[in-house]
Amino acid sequence: MDTFEKLLLRLRSQPLQLLQVSRLEGSGPREVGAWMAVGLDGFSLGSVGGGQLEFEAMAWARARLGGGERDTVSRRFALGPSLGQCCGGAVTVSMRYLPGPADPAMSEAECQVLRQSLTPPEAELMPVALFGNGHVGRALVDQLSRLPCRVHWLDSRAEDFPASLPAKVHAEHSDPVQRAVATLAPGSLVLIMSFSHFEDIELVAACLQRRRERDDLGFIGLIGSKSKWASFRQRLLGRGFSEAELAGVCCPIGVPGISGKQPEVIALAVAAQLMQIWGSASR
């Protein structure tokens, strides 16, 4: 269940106030668009920045809920001595009422509009293409589903995908799996961790070929050891790829310094590496 689904689930039992950062002046703890939902019973979901800012924003929301106020309003919070914060900027927070079960249920169209208003613009989402539905792949999808990214998840074994997927994850069966490389979104950060070394090397070769022809993949990462890459490297050289082209493949993957072979540990290291790459490309 993703965060938005948790929001809808809570709305089945109570009305909420939705707080969202609508303007940022100078330095602030969260970006424009960051949101949280607040209930009268102590429930909260999401964050608009933490600290005294969030404490006062939540108190404001609960006061309006308790008073039955439903109009949309905004409030500017100066992040200075009055809040005990030293960010040096100011945050404007907008608030709108979300009806609970006593009101007519939201239609599917209304739910979609609400989801879109709480989702970062598509251009701000990191595009990840993940090949492999094994233990690490599943742990990585779980990790990435909570980050600002969209995941194109591919495997040659269609029956192995989970029955339900997070909203920003799209699963696709492709056999042979390397055929899907041509359809990836431009700028995709590609991760290769299939169930077989045969598929892995075919995927690397397809990604290198696409880079040669279109040069529009932001990253090619291959799970494995240095010895696995040494073997792949020799075979790919034999296929006509140059040293310069092979230098564009990252293997092993993950930020250095994070040890451990548990799927969740590897997923954490890889997700951190992707965020570093995407952050550098976006600046």
Side-chain angles (χ1 to χ4, degrees):
M1 184 182 295
D2 66 18
T3 306
F4 184 76
E5 290 169 335
K6 292 177 183 177
L7 174 64
L8 292 183
L9 181 63
R10 178 59 61 154
L11 285 171
R12 294 177 187 171
S13 62
Q14 67 178 119
L16 302 170
Q17 290 284 10
L18 180 69
L19 299 165
Q20 193 163 22
V21 177
S22 57
R23 186 182 180 194
L24 182 61
E25 304 166 54
S27 178
R30 287 299 304 271
E31 71 285 357
V32 171
W35 64 272
M36 74 181 303
V38 177
L40 197 54
D41 63 351
F43 169 82
S44 68
L45 178 69
S47 174
V48 291
Q52 191 67 18
L53 161 66
E54 192 162 288
F55 178 81
E56 293 204 10
M58 291 169 68
W60 175 43
R62 291 191 173 115
R64 291 183 63 82
L65 272 174
E69 299 177 71
R70 301 187 176 195
D71 52 318
T72 298
V73 292
S74 295
R75 180 175 167 184
R76 183 178 182 272
F77 294 86
L79 304 176
S82 63
L83 280 183
Q85 295 184 227
C86 54
C87 295
V91 174
T92 298
V93 177
S94 64
M95 183 190 304
R96 56 175 158 156
Y97 178 81
L98 299 179
D103 296 271
M106 287 190 295
S107 68
E108 183 63 32
E110 289 172 324
C111 287
Q112 189 61 28
V113 169
L114 178 59
R115 181 188 284 276
Q116 289 174 351
S117 74
L118 303 181
T119 303
E122 188 72 12
E124 296 179 10
L125 297 178
M126 176 173 64
V128 178
L130 172 61
F131 290 91
N133 183 19
H135 295 305
V136 177
R138 290 186 176 224
L140 189 53
V141 165
D142 182 61
Q143 181 76 257
L144 294 174
S145 68
R146 297 189 290 272
L147 299 175
C149 64
R150 50 184 165 82
V151 181
H152 189 179
W153 195 11
L154 302 110
D155 202 292
S156 61
R157 305 165 296 174
E159 70 280 2
D160 282 352
F161 284 116
S164 62
L165 296 170
K168 293 180 290 185
V169 178
H170 167 66
E172 179 184 345
H173 170 238
S174 179
D175 189 12
V177 71
Q178 65 270 19
R179 183 185 298 161
V181 170
T183 70
L184 299 181
S188 291
L189 309 184
V190 182
L191 295 169
I192 298 168
M193 48 184 71
S194 81
F195 72 97
S196 79
H197 282 200
F198 171 78
E199 283 196 353
D200 280 355
I201 197 166
E202 293 303 321
L203 284 164
V204 173
C207 288
L208 289 172
Q209 187 63 36
R210 173 159 169 169
R211 263 196 177 164
R212 179 183 286 179
E213 296 171 356
R214 292 190 253 172
D215 192 25
D216 65 349
L217 296 179
F219 176 75
I220 304 172
L222 170 68
I223 197 169
S225 62
K226 292 181 179 179
S227 59
K228 174 181 177 179
W229 176 240
S231 173
F232 275 31
R233 180 178 165 279
Q234 290 303 316
R235 292 161 66 183
L236 290 164
L237 285 171
R239 293 194 188 191
F241 292 106
S242 68
E243 292 280 8
E245 288 174 315
L246 296 180
V249 178
C250 179
C251 182
I253 49 175
V255 294
I258 298 180
S259 59
K261 296 186 177 181
Q262 302 96 320
E264 295 76 13
V265 173
I266 298 172
L268 176 64
V270 173
Q273 182 181 34
L274 294 181
M275 293 300 292
Q276 287 179 335
I277 295 166
W278 182 246
S280 297
S282 302
R283 283 197 287 269

